[in-house]
Amino acid sequence: MSDQTTYQIYSPASVVGSFNNALIIPQTLSLIYLKGRYTAGQGKSYAGYYYDLFYSESDTTSISVKLSGILRSKLVNGEVYILKGFIEKSVRNSSIDLRFAAEEIVQQEERQFSEEDLKRYDLIQAKLEKGSRDLETFIREKKLRNEPIKIANIYGHSAIVQHDFNEGLNISSGEFEITDFTCNITSATSIIQKLQELKPLQFDIIALVRGGGDRQSFDVFSDVDLANEFINLESITITALGHTVDESLLDKLADRRFHVPHDYGDGLHKIIEKLREEKSNSRAVLIEEVKKDVTKQFEEQVKTLTTQLGNKNREFTKLQDDSAKQIKDLTENTQKQLKAQSDEMAKYKTDIADLHAKNLKSAIQSETATLNARIESVSKENVRLQEELSKKKSSMLFYVVLLVIGIIIGFILTKL
C-alpha cells in the first residue's frame, strides 16, 4: 500500500483566528499619536463610549475612533486634532476591524487647507450623507419591470473611445437606450453646460467618458463648481475617465467609477449577463415564488373580501333592523294620526249636527213665528171679511125684502 497523503484542514473560524492572532504590530502594543479631521457620528453611546471617525487630511480614508463622553465633548466637528491612544482590533465574520481608542487630546491643529479644499471636503461629506445608488440593483429592477434604461454618455468633441465602450458592451447594447453627447471635455464650464442641458431630459444614467490624457488635463474633474453640479444630478452618475492611478473629485462623487471606457461597457454587459443567467437558472424558483405570491395575494384578497362581506352583512342587518324600527314607528305614528283625525272628524260631525240642529230649530222657530204672524193676520182679515159679509148679507136681505114688497105692490097694482 502506498502512503496516504495527509492535509492540514482549517475551518473558517480557525483561519480568521490565526490571522487575528498574527496581526501583532508595535502600534497595537504601545500608545501612538493619531492626526486627522474629526467627524462626529450618530451620537449614540455604547457602554459609555462613542464611536466617531477620523479622516486623513489629504483624502477620504478614515478610521473609527473610540472616545469617552468627556473627551468627545472637547472635540469640534470638522477640526483637525492630534490624539494619543492605541489601536484595537476585532474580528467580525471574515474581516478584521481596526479602531483607535483615544486616551488624550494632544493638540488641535490649525486649518492647513484652502477654501477650495474645504469645499471639496464638504461635497464628499454631502455625497456620503446622500449615499450612492447601486448601478446593478437599478438595472436589475428596471429589467424586471420591463422598463427602458436611458443612458447619456458625454464624450469630448474629437473622442474616439466610443468604440472601446461599444466593444466592452458587446451584445448587450440592445438592452439599453444609449445617446452620445459631446462637449469640450477639458472645460468645466462646457461640461456644466452639457449637464444642465441633460437634466430635463430625464436620463436614468449620465456618464462622463474619456480615453485618457496628461495628468494636468484631469484637474478639470476636480473643479468644485462642476462637482457641485454633478452631485445634484437625479440620474445615476458614472465616470470612466481613462486613468487608473489618480482619483479625481468626480470619481469620488460618482455612484460608480470605471477606470477606462472599455471597463464601463464591459461592466454594463456583465450586469446583463448575470441577470440573464439568474433568470435562466432560477426560472422554476421564480415561478414558484410567483405562485406563492399569487396564492398569498389571493388569500389576502379572499380574507379582505370576506371581511368586507362580513362588514356589509352587519351593515345590512343593522339597516334591516333600523328599517323595521322606522316602519314600526311610522305605522304607530300613522295610526295615532288616523285616530286623532277620526276623533277630530267625529267631534266635527257632532259639532256640525249640533249646529245644524240649532240652526234648524232657529229656522223653525223663525218660520213658525212668521206663519203665526201670517195666521194671525189672516184670522184678522177673515174676521173683517166676515163682518163685512154680515153687513152685506143684512143689506141684501133688506134689498130683497124691499124688492119683494115692490113686486107685491106691483102685482097688487096690476090687479087693480
Side-chain angles (χ1 to χ4, degrees):
M1 290 181 61
S2 58
D3 296 337
Q4 186 176 4
T5 305
T6 58
Y7 300 95
Q8 181 66 43
I9 301 175
Y10 296 90
S11 67
S14 62
V15 172
V16 174
S18 298
F19 275 86
N20 181 38
N21 294 331
L23 291 176
I24 299 176
I25 59 177
Q27 286 81 355
T28 62
L29 301 176
S30 60
L31 294 174
I32 64 172
Y33 294 90
L34 177 70
K35 181 180 179 181
R37 183 176 302 280
Y38 169 68
T39 300
Q42 296 181 352
K44 293 183 179 179
S45 174
Y46 300 92
Y49 288 94
Y50 296 85
Y51 293 85
D52 299 327
L53 294 174
F54 251 48
Y55 282 87
S56 298
E57 294 181 89
S58 58
D59 55 39
T60 58
T61 305
S62 65
I63 186 173
S64 177
V65 179
K66 177 181 176 183
L67 298 164
S68 65
I70 296 176
L71 209 59
R72 188 176 190 267
S73 65
K74 298 179 181 179
L75 299 178
V76 178
N77 192 42
E79 296 294 329
V80 177
Y81 295 91
I82 297 177
L83 303 181
K84 182 180 180 182
F86 57 91
I87 299 294
E88 292 182 345
K89 66 180 186 300
S90 60
V91 179
R92 183 178 302 173
N93 294 328
S94 60
S95 64
I96 299 174
D97 295 335
L98 299 178
R99 61 175 171 266
F100 183 78
E103 296 286 339
E104 179 184 349
I105 300 174
V106 178
Q107 68 181 48
Q108 179 179 352
E109 294 286 301
E110 294 182 359
R111 292 181 179 269
Q112 299 179 358
F113 300 99
S114 65
E115 190 66 26
E116 289 289 315
D117 292 331
L118 295 178
K119 289 181 179 179
R120 293 188 181 98
Y121 174 78
D122 291 338
L123 286 170
I124 293 172
Q125 288 297 107
K127 180 61 178 179
L128 291 174
E129 293 177 2
K130 182 180 179 181
S132 297
R133 298 177 65 185
D134 185 72
L135 178 64
E136 182 175 345
T137 301
F138 175 79
I139 293 176
R140 179 189 299 274
E141 291 175 352
K142 278 280 192 178
K143 285 300 176 184
L144 291 177
R145 294 195 299 265
N146 292 321
E147 295 178 356
I149 301 174
K150 299 172 59 179
I151 299 178
N153 286 341
I154 302 176
Y155 300 96
H157 285 309
S158 58
I160 57 174
V161 294
Q162 293 90 329
H163 175 74
D164 296 337
F165 168 74
N166 292 326
E167 187 180 58
L169 188 57
N170 203 339
I171 61 173
S172 299
S173 59
E175 301 291 334
F176 304 94
E177 296 181 5
I178 302 174
T179 307
D180 294 341
F181 297 91
T182 61
C183 67
N184 184 358
I185 205 72
T186 61
S187 168
T189 303
S190 179
I191 300 174
I192 291 173
Q193 183 178 355
K194 184 58 63 178
L195 292 177
Q196 291 174 345
E197 292 174 3
L198 297 181
K199 267 186 178 181
L201 301 181
Q202 297 182 337
F203 281 97
D204 298 309
I205 300 171
I206 296 179
L208 288 174
V209 188
R210 176 175 169 168
D214 60 277
R215 182 185 297 271
Q216 186 175 359
S217 65
F218 283 102
D219 291 343
V220 65
F221 301 116
S222 293
D223 182 83
V224 172
D225 293 332
L226 173 57
N228 188 60
E229 187 71 29
F230 192 70
I231 197 176
N232 288 317
L233 291 173
E234 294 295 330
S235 310
I236 290 180
T237 53
I238 292 177
T239 57
L241 302 177
H243 57 121
T244 59
V245 179
D246 296 329
E247 186 179 36
S248 67
L249 180 59
L250 291 191
D251 289 327
K252 297 174 182 177
L253 299 178
D255 292 310
R256 181 71 179 269
R257 178 201 177 188
F258 295 96
H259 292 299
V260 292
H262 182 277
D263 292 347
Y264 168 34
D266 184 60
L268 296 180
H269 172 68
K270 287 180 178 177
I271 293 174
I272 296 298
E273 283 296 299
K274 182 179 178 181
L275 185 58
R276 287 172 181 162
E277 184 178 353
E278 289 177 354
K279 284 183 178 180
S280 176
N281 294 337
S282 60
R283 185 179 301 275
V285 176
L286 288 175
I287 292 174
E288 188 64 29
E289 289 296 325
V290 170
K291 287 182 179 179
K292 290 180 180 179
D293 291 341
V294 171
T295 302
K296 183 178 179 182
Q297 290 177 3
F298 178 75
E299 291 175 351
E300 290 178 351
Q301 289 176 356
V302 170
K303 182 179 179 181
T304 301
L305 290 174
T306 303
T307 303
Q308 292 177 351
L309 181 60
N311 293 335
K312 291 296 182 182
N313 287 335
R314 285 191 290 272
E315 291 177 2
F316 181 71
T317 303
K318 185 177 183 299
L319 180 61
Q320 283 184 320
D321 294 340
D322 293 343
S323 299
K325 185 176 181 301
Q326 290 177 358
I327 292 173
K328 182 180 178 182
D329 294 342
L330 182 61
T331 303
E332 291 177 354
N333 291 334
T334 303
Q335 291 175 349
K336 289 179 180 179
Q337 291 177 0
L338 290 174
K339 186 177 183 305
Q341 290 177 356
S342 178
D343 294 342
E344 186 177 356
M345 183 63 69
K347 183 177 180 300
Y348 177 72
K349 287 180 178 179
T350 302
D351 293 342
I352 290 294
D354 292 343
L355 182 61
H356 178 69
K358 289 180 180 180
N359 290 338
L360 183 60
K361 183 178 181 181
S362 177
I364 291 173
Q365 289 177 349
S366 176
E367 189 66 24
T368 301
T370 302
L371 289 175
N372 289 334
R374 289 177 65 185
I375 290 171
E376 185 179 355
S377 175
V378 169
S379 297
K380 289 180 180 182
E381 184 67 22
N382 286 337
V383 171
R384 187 182 65 78
L385 290 173
Q386 286 177 357
E387 289 176 354
E388 290 181 358
L389 181 61
S390 297
K391 290 178 180 183
K392 286 182 177 180
K393 284 181 178 181
S394 299
S395 298
M396 186 175 290
L397 183 59
F398 178 73
Y399 291 139
V400 170
V401 171
L402 287 179
L403 180 59
V404 170
I405 293 172
I407 291 171
I408 292 171
I409 293 172
F411 182 74
I412 294 171
L413 290 175
T414 59
K415 292 293 185 178
L416 290 181

